Amino acid sequence: MIKDVEKILLSEKFIEAKVSEMAEKISRDYEGKNLLLLGILKGSVVFMGDLMKHLTIPTQIDFMRVSSYGGGTVSSGRVNIILDIFRGDLDTCDVLVVEDIIDSGKTLSYLVQYLKNKGAKSVKTCTMLDKPSRREVDFTPDYVGAEIPDEFVVGYGLDYDENYRALPYIGVLKREVYEK
Ligand code: PRP
């Protein structure tokens, strides 16, 4: 464990087991469908990479990037799209949006509607972490790795000030690191 991390919340071993369990379920649910994993940059990359390796059905991948300031939204509640998805065949795709974490729920609830409006055949959501106590809009993800308390977590894609994303576990960051 690195010195900036106070404790490990989810170990590498736990994450590995959980991701393969989720991949099994997704493989069953999407059998015969046209799965498109849509990772939301940057936090989702580690989870997405692991998840796709464990799938036993064919999949394609794509990415979007949305802005994070103000909790991922601007005051209008609209999420700012920095990198959009460009595909002519979205109407044939069963999209599974992949996130590292859900907090207020604003990003995913906006994206689901956005992708439906864009004509996706179906849209579901998958997140490694969920912080239900932080929810500001009514939103329930379809696949969840773990529900966690409202602590400042880093690792497995999650950052503080763009650092710590490559840690193989999910840890609680020491207060002194972000309260400097
Ligand atoms: C995080 C996370 C989600 C969003 C969740 O991304 O990956 O996209 O915030 O928050 P919400 O439920 O309150 O909308 P962040 O903006 O930190 O960007 P990053 O993935 O590049 O780290």
Side-chain angles (χ1 to χ4, degrees), residues 63-118:
F63 294 94
M64 285 181 73
R65 188 164 176 213
V66 300
S67 71
S68 65
Y69 28 68
T73 63
V74 290
S75 54
S76 65
R78 226 180 140 268
V79 170
N80 194 19
I81 293 172
I82 297 164
L83 172 69
D84 204 349
I85 177 172
F86 297 103
R87 313 179 54 112
D89 64 348
L90 202 61
D91 60 327
T92 68
C93 294
D94 293 299
V95 179
L96 183 60
V97 184
V98 179
E99 272 286 21
D100 52 342
I101 190 164
I102 305 182
D103 207 333
S104 71
K106 288 180 180 176
T107 304
L108 273 185
S109 61
Y110 177 82
L111 280 177
V112 167
Q113 200 48 55
Y114 179 81
L115 291 161
K116 283 183 177 164
N117 291 345
K118 242 178 140 75

